[in-house]
Amino acid sequence: MSGSLREAYERPHRPPHPEGALAADRRAGIRLAALTLFAAQGYRSTTMTDIGAAVGVRGPSLYKHVASKQELLAEIMAGTMEQLIADNAAAVAGADDVREQLRRSVEAHIRYHARHRLEAFVGNREIGNLEQPDQDRVLAGRSDYERRFRELIERGVAEGAFRVQSARIASYSILDMGIGVASWFREGGEFTVDQLAYQYGDIALRIVGVGRPQAPDGGN
């Protein structure tokens, strides 16, 4: 018997993927099931039994992959903020002009909320159900994310590129637009994600006064 045939005969049930990869795939499936259920029926109304049933895993087997639904909620919400911040950093790094940086930041913000509607929905609705210290961690991420937009607007004002009375209000307005996209956008509709992102970039620039005539007497 050749070496290759002997190996196949002696180990006919070798898994096609390493055990760690299979475990990671299973945990990802559990996380997606939890995300879908949290969005559909709320965190408090979702049980670990519900999550297990959605992925075909029962009782003790489920707890081999995840300790609790609170752990899943924290993972989902922290992961959302980490990705938003990473996307923002990448967008800003790709340009030098403050107007282009704001546009790209807004486009990244819109793309995320259009493509990750469930994460955005759960992230905004379930913050009160997140336990400490994870709640503080996610809130700190939110503050960091808003600060990035606000400081960009403040820089634009200092450079004479933007005209706003309050950089904070402008940043809140821009961020709220993206959050709203998650509630109504659907793939296959009137606009593609990229078309939507570009249009929202235009709107954001108008919010900070790009293309708007200077008001008389030094007003904004």
Side-chain angles (χ1 to χ4, degrees), residues 39-61:
Q41 60 192 40
Y43 173 80
R44 290 186 178 275
S45 297
T46 300
T47 66
M48 285 292 280
T49 300
D50 294 332
I51 296 169
V55 293
V57 178
R58 294 184 179 180
S61 295

Side-chain angles (χ1 to χ4, degrees), residues 197-220:
Y198 193 84
Q199 291 189 62
Y200 270 85
D202 281 344
I203 295 169
L205 289 174
R206 293 191 187 100
I207 287 175
V208 297
V210 174
R212 190 171 65 201
Q214 177 72 40
D217 302 323
N220 292 291

Side-chain angles (χ1 to χ4, degrees), residues 12 33 38 69 103 116 142 148 175 186 195:
F38 292 162
K69 69 173 185 175
R103 170 181 283 284
H116 302 275
R142 288 185 177 184
R148 290 166 180 264
L175 292 173
R186 297 293 183 274
Q195 289 170 335

Side-chain angles (χ1 to χ4, degrees), residues 52-102:
V55 293
V57 178
R58 294 184 179 180
S61 295
L62 181 61
Y63 289 95
K64 291 179 181 178
H65 301 282
V66 59
S68 66
K69 69 173 185 175
Q70 178 64 208
E71 179 180 281
L72 288 166
L73 181 65
E75 184 177 314
I76 289 166
M77 296 185 73
T80 294
M81 288 314 309
E82 289 167 5
Q83 189 61 57
L84 281 167
I85 291 171
D87 289 351
N88 177 266
V92 171
D96 295 322
D97 181 77
V98 70
R99 287 165 292 230
E100 185 63 19
Q101 286 183 325
L102 181 61

